[in-house]
C-alpha cells in the first residue's frame, strides 16, 4: 500500500545523509564542507512558495549549512540539536501543526523517534536499515542526490501544486 501523500502540509528534513550524501570534507582550518544537490534546493523553494512549511532539524551546526538553508528561504532551522523529539514537539506546538500532516525525511537512528510520530516517514535509498524498515516512502535516490526533491515533487504532484 502506498503512503497517502494528499495529507502532507509540511516537511521536516535532516541534513547529513538526507540533504547531503553524508560526506564531510574536513579542512585544515577546521571547517567542514558538505555538498547539496541543486534540485533539492529548487524543490524546497518551490514548496515554500506554494505554502508548504519546511523545517530542518540537524544534530550538527555549521555556518555553511545555515547559509545554504537561508539562501533557500528556509526559516525554521534547528541546528546542533541533540534531542530532535523535543524540537519537533516545540515546532508543532508553535505552529499548531498536526503530525498527521507532516512528512519527515531522515536517514539514521537520531531520526527514528520523530519519524514514528509523523504521517509520512520517508528516507533516502541509502538510509540505515532501521530507518528504511519504518519508512512508508523510500526514495529511489540516495541522500544528497535528489531524494528530497523526489519526495517533495511526489507530494506536490499528488496535490496538483507542482
Amino acid at each position: 500500500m502506498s503512503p497517502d501523500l494528499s495529507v502532507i502540509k509540511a516537511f521536516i528534513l535532516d541534513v547529513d545523509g538526507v540533504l547531503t550524501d553524508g560526506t564531510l570534507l574536513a579542512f585544515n582550518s577546521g571547517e567542514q564542507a558538505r555538498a547539496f544537490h541543486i534540485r533539492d534546493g529548487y524543490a524546497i523553494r518551490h514548496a515554500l512558495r506554494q505554502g508548504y512549511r519546511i523545517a530542518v532539524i540537524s544534530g550538527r551546526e555549521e555556518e555553511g549549512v545555515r547559509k545554504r538553508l537561508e539562501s533557500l528561504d528556509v526559516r525554521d532551522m534547528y541546528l546542533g540539536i541533540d534531542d530532535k523529539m523535543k524540537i519537533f514537539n516545540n515546532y508543532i506546538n508553535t505552529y499548531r501543526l498536526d503530525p498527521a500532516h507532516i512528512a519527515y525525511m531522515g536517514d539514521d537512528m537520531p531520526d527514528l523517534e520523530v519519524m514514528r510520530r509523523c504521517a509520512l516517514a520517508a528516507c533516502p535509498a541509502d538510509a540505515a536499515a532501521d530507518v528504511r524498515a519504518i519508512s512508508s516512502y523510500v526514495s529511489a535516490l540516495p541522500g544528497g542526490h535528489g531524494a528530497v526533491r523526489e519526495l517533495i515533487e511526489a507530494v506536490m504532484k499528488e496535490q496538483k501544486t507542482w
Side-chain angles (χ1 to χ4, degrees):
M1 184 167 138
S2 14
D4 184 2
L5 304 181
S6 69
V7 301
I8 302 303
K9 297 178 182 178
F11 300 90
I12 301 177
L13 309 168
D14 181 29
V15 174
D16 294 319
V18 172
L19 283 166
T20 76
D21 67 4
T23 300
L24 289 176
L25 301 176
F27 296 102
N28 289 338
S29 66
E31 183 180 1
Q32 296 179 346
R34 295 164 181 80
F36 291 83
H37 201 290
I38 198 77
R39 286 192 296 259
D40 287 342
Y42 174 81
I44 288 169
R45 289 189 84 194
H46 184 59
L48 287 166
R49 289 178 177 153
Q50 293 299 315
Y52 293 86
R53 285 204 155 278
I54 295 187
V56 172
I57 304 175
S58 177
R60 298 184 50 85
E61 166 123 32
E62 294 287 336
E63 190 58 25
V65 171
R66 183 177 303 283
K67 287 181 179 179
R68 173 61 181 153
L69 295 171
E70 286 173 352
S71 78
L72 299 174
D73 299 325
V74 174
R75 298 294 167 242
D76 296 313
M77 287 180 266
Y78 308 94
L79 306 177
I81 302 304
D82 290 327
D83 186 347
K84 290 187 176 191
M85 196 67 208
K86 179 180 177 185
I87 294 300
F88 172 78
N89 286 327
N90 289 342
Y91 178 72
I92 64 172
N93 290 332
T94 298
Y95 293 108
R96 298 185 189 335
L97 298 173
D98 183 343
H101 300 291
I102 298 174
Y104 185 102
M105 184 174 263
D107 73 306
D108 212 345
M109 302 306 285
D111 302 305
L112 283 173
E113 187 178 7
V114 179
M115 291 174 76
R116 287 185 179 112
R117 287 274 325 274
C118 296
L120 180 63
C123 69
D126 60 342
D130 290 339
V131 171
R132 284 193 319 272
I134 68 153
S135 293
S136 54
Y137 185 98
V138 178
S139 172
L141 300 169
H145 293 277
V148 170
R149 160 72 177 257
E150 181 188 300
L151 170 65
I152 292 173
E153 186 175 336
V155 167
M156 292 181 72
K157 281 184 174 178
E158 174 70 21
Q159 298 178 16
K160 305 205 181 337
T161 54
W162 184 257

